[in-house]
Amino acid sequence: MKQDVIDSINAVRREVRTCERDGRPARAVVAERTYDTTVKDVWDAITNRERIPRWLAPIEGELQPGGRYQLEGNAGGEITACDPPAHLAVTWEFGGGVTWLDVHLSQDPGGTLLRLEHVALIDDLNQWGPFGPGAVGIGWHLTPPGLAEHLRTGASVDIDAEVAASEEGAELIARSSDAWCEADIASGTPEAVARAAAEQTAAFFTGGGDAPQGDAPSDGEDPPKG
């Protein structure tokens, strides 16, 4: 196993927690990572129409507060808050479901801390029982390495192709699944339930299982993405 797989896993801090959204019970998947660049640079990478496709996916729409966006082959939604260069909030709409995504940027001793929080109402989490938080969390874990590489080089990064084609990518998925499983257990989920869910989600991402359903975003037959 290559050291960069371990480094990628260790670079992300994960949290799974129970919360409320609009007065209703919800669950949140939280991922944090520090990038070795300025807040301004990270903000531009996640909001600039020309840079977003270099690490995530082509995007269309009116990229301003109140406008709507659409990622190619993935989710769309409304931009509900935009406070440059600190906070971006959008709805994440896919397959008839709506979840909520908040991204916060702040200065950190190592550069810029990005905190991503993805919230879904418990009633809408059809995939949570059999697949656990990894159904969303793994997809978001695969995104930070692509963003990190883009911020380092300025080049386009096809992270999905790398994951699908490489042994290193399979190892990354397996270890990410294990890490989200531990976060799920820490949130209070019984260990046996969390580990069974993690196994099913990891099997899907590596091509050996059925797709998570519900609000977990996906590209048809491809693994769910963050």
Side-chain angles (χ1 to χ4, degrees), residues 13 19 50-51 57 72 76 105 193 199 203:
R13 188 191 72 82
C19 58
E50 295 184 359
R51 292 184 71 180
E72 183 178 287
L105 301 181
V193 174
E199 287 179 6

Side-chain angles (χ1 to χ4, degrees), residues 20-26 100 121:
E20 286 190 356
R21 178 79 195 195
D22 300 330
R24 299 171 62 186
W100 295 269
L121 298 175

Side-chain angles (χ1 to χ4, degrees), residues 70-214:
Q70 179 63 55
L71 289 167
E72 183 178 287
N74 205 303
E78 180 183 352
I79 300 171
T80 57
C82 183
D83 180 21
H87 177 222
L88 176 68
V90 302
T91 61
W92 189 266
E93 303 172 18
F94 187 88
V98 180
T99 54
W100 295 269
L101 189 66
D102 276 88
V103 178
H104 293 268
L105 301 181
S106 59
Q107 289 186 334
D108 183 81
T112 298
L113 176 66
L114 184 151
R115 175 183 172 89
L116 180 150
E117 182 172 273
H118 196 159
V119 175
L121 298 175
I122 288 178
D123 290 346
D124 295 336
L125 282 169
N126 299 322
Q127 85 283 1
W128 197 277
F131 290 98
V136 172
I138 292 176
W140 283 123
H141 179 84
L142 298 178
T143 300
L147 177 57
E149 183 67 11
H150 167 65
L151 289 170
R152 186 180 70 84
T153 66
S156 297
V157 180
D158 191 353
I159 189 69
D160 289 330
E162 293 174 5
V163 167
S166 70
E167 182 178 338
E168 183 178 349
E171 183 68 29
L172 177 64
I173 289 170
R175 286 183 168 261
S176 177
S177 180
D178 288 343
W180 282 109
C181 178
E182 295 301 326
D184 197 17
I185 293 169
S187 77
T189 300
E191 181 173 351
V193 174
R195 296 202 183 282
E199 287 179 6
Q200 291 193 63
T201 301
F204 169 70
F205 270 90
T206 53
D210 295 329
Q213 301 298 316

